[in-house]
Amino acid sequence: MARAHVIETRGLTRRFGDVTAVDALDLTVERGEVVGLLGHNGAGKTTTVRLLNGVLAPSAGSARVLGFDPMHDGVALRRRCGVSTETPSVDERLSGRAGLRFFAEVFDVPPARVERRIDELLAAFDLSAAADQRVGTYSKGMRQRLTLARALLHEPELLFLDEPSSGLDPVAARAVDERIAGLRDAGTTVLLCTHNLAQAQGLCDRVVVLEHGAVVASGAPAALAAELGASIEVRVALRLEAGTDARALLADVVGVETIEAANGEANGLRFAASGDDATAAAVRVLVQAGADVYAVERRQPSLEDVYFALHRGERPAARADAPQGVPA
Ligand code: ATP
């Protein structure tokens, strides 16, 4: 195994009775990558994280995480990983601060640094005022933020974040995104399970999309969009002479499809373009027909477009997971 691989699985499989939650998964994550694990409810994301943490034994296949076998070296591995799941992980009877102190000891945080680290994390996750309240009195979002603080206590080199923004208000969710971006910039490796496609697009170097426990697509969001042929959405604000039909004008422009009035406006036009050349050709045709063009807005295909293309059954050519620049 190459040393740079922080996570490497081969044929990793987990069955629960008749259900194959993770199906012969080959997953590779390199040091410093932020990889989004995406997929519908029940696709196998949480089970994958549990297998990689050694909380769950595989039915078949193998995993190496930071060079460890999660099933045999789980304790050593968890000292170097941070894990945040939706399941509350701090004793409800303790205060938030006492709960963090407990885990600081479990994770071997040097005693001289514990209080400063706890104060820093409580402040970062907006929990300073509630630090001495019992966790049992915390709201769902407060518990989620405490779970994240707990995951970061020992400055782990690898983070597993399972739905880190679940239940958070928009301000707290943005703070979490900023924190993840900061960790990414500092070189932490992150495996992020999320249904929030905008979050994945903003934070992830690469996404891996699971369906029924198997990889159906893997790559940088923009590369996947290009590969799946997701088109650019173009909106044009214009004025045409009465009686001129914009749809008829654009009907023969190569690479332009689904032409419609934008928001039902008479002076707005929306179409899907295969690329910038098709966009330019369409605008040229409109101008040549005497249109006054006020604005042209183009929206590049998003991860959401990719996700829905996959949902419709479209597939990229190469499905096997591989870090960027490394052939599958
Ligand atoms: P979600 O987005 O809803 O969190 P997920 O992608 O994390 O879903 P998993 O929780 O990994 O999906 O579940 C994958 C499949 O395995 C599902 O069919 C689920 O019902 C099943 N499963 C997971 N854990 C268990 C378990 N302990 N016992 C039985 N079946 C399980």
Side-chain angles (χ1 to χ4, degrees), residues 16 19 21 39-48 50 86 162 195:
F16 295 106
V19 174
H40 306 328
N41 292 133
K45 304 178 294 296
T46 300
T47 305
T48 300
R50 297 180 74 206
E86 284 188 88
D162 194 355
H195 292 295

Side-chain angles (χ1 to χ4, degrees), residues 237-261:
L238 78 173
R239 190 172 59 81
L240 277 166
E241 282 172 27
T244 309
D245 180 357
R247 286 196 219 191
L249 286 174
L250 298 186
D252 294 332
V253 179
V254 176
V256 171
E257 282 173 8
T258 52
I259 309 149
E260 54 195 46

